Amino acid sequence: MSSTTNKPLPFHFQFAAGAIAGVSEILCMYPLDVAKTRLMLQVSKGAGEDQYKSIIDVFSRIIKEEGPTRLYRGILPPIMVEAPKRAIKFASNDTYAPMYMRLFNKDKLTQSLAIMTGVSAGITEAMIVATPELVKIRLQAKENAGRYAGTMDCVRKIYAEEGLRAFANGLEATVWRHALWNGGYFGSIFAIKKMMPKSESKKGELAINFVSGAIGGTIGTTLNTPPDVVKTRIQNYNPSKGPAPYTTFFGGVKTIIKEEGVRALYKGYIPKVLRLGPGGGILLVVYDQVTTYMRTHFM
């Protein structure tokens, strides 16, 4: 996190710190992402015995029917993009904050500027993650089991069968997903840290970072689950099934509410919040610790 008292790190340090924080979080929490995707792709109409009933059911059936390694299916694309993704998340946040402070003639960051900064960082981040997200979703989906031999095979088949434009499917919904999450995450962290008593020890600072990051991750997840559901379904849709029922966030929201009800927009919320709540805390703690180390030893 940026602050008014810390000089922003050079980009290569921000890149490294973001990569370390992001990979730490994804290695700890990735199976929850697989569970989230499986639940989001379930369409309520025509539900039968094959539908997952809970997060526990997802895990137990994946392990029993497909093997435990399936819980890490599709992890390569997010790991490959994790370094630039997390670097852009934090580096953009550290870059946009002073820019908006100058633009609005503010001496220090305010709540509204923290939200604007987060939204801007999210939009920037979305531009690089949309395509790797699509590949990851295709690999995670149960219906695609056996279809793709791995990441590069998935990329080759999408290009051969659907064309280059297919890799941009769901980009608009991805922008909504990341703008809402980052705005909620960084905006709430700013407010929570202001409300909490100032720490007088390193352990206390770590606790504050974890708590504020976890709450921020939960708020961001609550805000961005609907665009995540829409994005996930758009990116997994195969044109061999016929015309897509929707290709935009608002079109998807309208269709899902009409056919499945409002609650369907929060499918996969439990594994998602279990991942991104604590995951948000892990991200903030690791990023702050790494950047503090870098400032102490390299600047």
Side-chain angles (χ1 to χ4, degrees):
M1 282 290 291
S2 63
S3 77
T4 57
T5 58
N6 281 333
K7 182 180 177 181
L9 285 167
F11 180 78
H12 58 283
F13 285 143
Q14 293 175 337
F15 188 96
I20 293 168
V23 172
S24 298
E25 185 272 337
I26 203 170
L27 290 174
C28 293
M29 300 293 185
Y30 190 76
L32 288 165
D33 192 63
V34 175
K36 175 211 76 171
T37 299
R38 295 288 180 98
L39 290 167
M40 284 183 172
L41 290 174
Q42 289 191 155
V43 178
S44 297
K45 57 181 182 179
E49 289 298 318
D50 195 45
Q51 295 244 323
Y52 297 113
K53 297 173 178 60
S54 66
I55 181 174
I56 301 300
D57 188 43
V58 176
F59 284 137
S60 61
R61 285 179 56 186
I62 288 176
I63 292 170
K64 180 180 178 181
E65 298 170 8
E66 304 172 50
T69 58
R70 281 284 175 174
L71 293 174
Y72 280 87
R73 174 77 165 171
I75 196 173
L76 185 58
I79 280 187
M80 289 175 66
V81 80
E82 200 63 29
K85 173 183 173 181
R86 298 308 185 187
I88 286 172
K89 178 190 292 293
F90 288 103
S92 295
N93 192 67
D94 286 346
T95 301
Y96 285 123
M99 183 187 78
Y100 284 132
M101 286 164 62
R102 288 192 301 271
L103 182 63
F104 292 98
N105 295 316
K106 299 290 185 182
D107 294 328
K108 59 182 180 179
L109 199 64
T110 64
Q111 179 70 58
S112 58
L113 292 185
I115 294 171
M116 288 175 61
T117 295
V119 169
S120 300
I123 292 171
T124 306
E125 180 186 24
M127 297 301 165
I128 70 154
V129 304
T131 296
E133 274 285 317
L134 183 144
V135 175
K136 181 197 76 172
I137 295 299
R138 294 292 182 94
L139 290 168
Q140 287 181 341
K142 183 179 181 181
E143 67 191 73
N144 293 330
R147 180 179 177 84
Y148 306 116
T151 300
M152 293 313 299
D153 183 54
C154 181
V155 170
R156 282 193 295 267
K157 286 180 178 175
I158 291 172
Y159 178 73
E161 297 169 7
E162 303 172 49
L164 187 62
R165 291 182 63 183
F167 292 105
N169 288 349
L171 174 60
E172 178 252 9
T174 303
V175 168
W176 280 104
R177 183 181 84 149
H178 287 266
L180 289 172
W181 197 89
N182 281 272
Y185 180 68
F186 288 113
S188 57
I189 285 173
F190 178 87
I192 293 161
K193 283 190 169 183
K194 284 194 71 174
M195 290 187 291
M196 297 181 77
K198 190 168 179 64
S199 170
E200 297 181 1
S201 69
K202 196 64 181 175
K203 284 186 177 180
E205 185 181 339
L206 284 173
I208 288 173
N209 281 341
F210 185 82
V211 170
S212 60
I215 294 173
T218 301
I219 291 171
T221 298
T222 303
L223 291 172
N224 91 332
T225 297
D228 198 10
V229 171
V230 174
K231 175 205 76 74
T232 299
R233 293 187 179 190
I234 290 173
Q235 292 184 326
N236 191 54
Y237 191 79
N238 192 310
S240 64
K241 300 176 183 176
Y246 45 82
T247 58
T248 65
F249 169 50
F250 288 107
V253 167
K254 183 179 178 181
T255 301
I256 290 170
I257 291 176
K258 181 180 178 181
E259 296 182 355
E260 303 174 62
V262 176
R263 291 182 63 185
L265 292 172
Y266 277 87
K267 285 190 171 184
Y269 177 76
I270 297 300
K272 184 176 168 74
V273 81
L274 286 174
R275 177 194 173 185
L276 295 177
I282 292 170
L283 272 177
L284 190 61
V285 167
V286 175
Y287 184 79
D288 274 5
Q289 289 299 294
V290 174
T291 53
T292 297
Y293 181 86
M294 288 175 171
R295 283 192 176 94
T296 302
H297 293 85
F298 301 116
M299 292 184 70

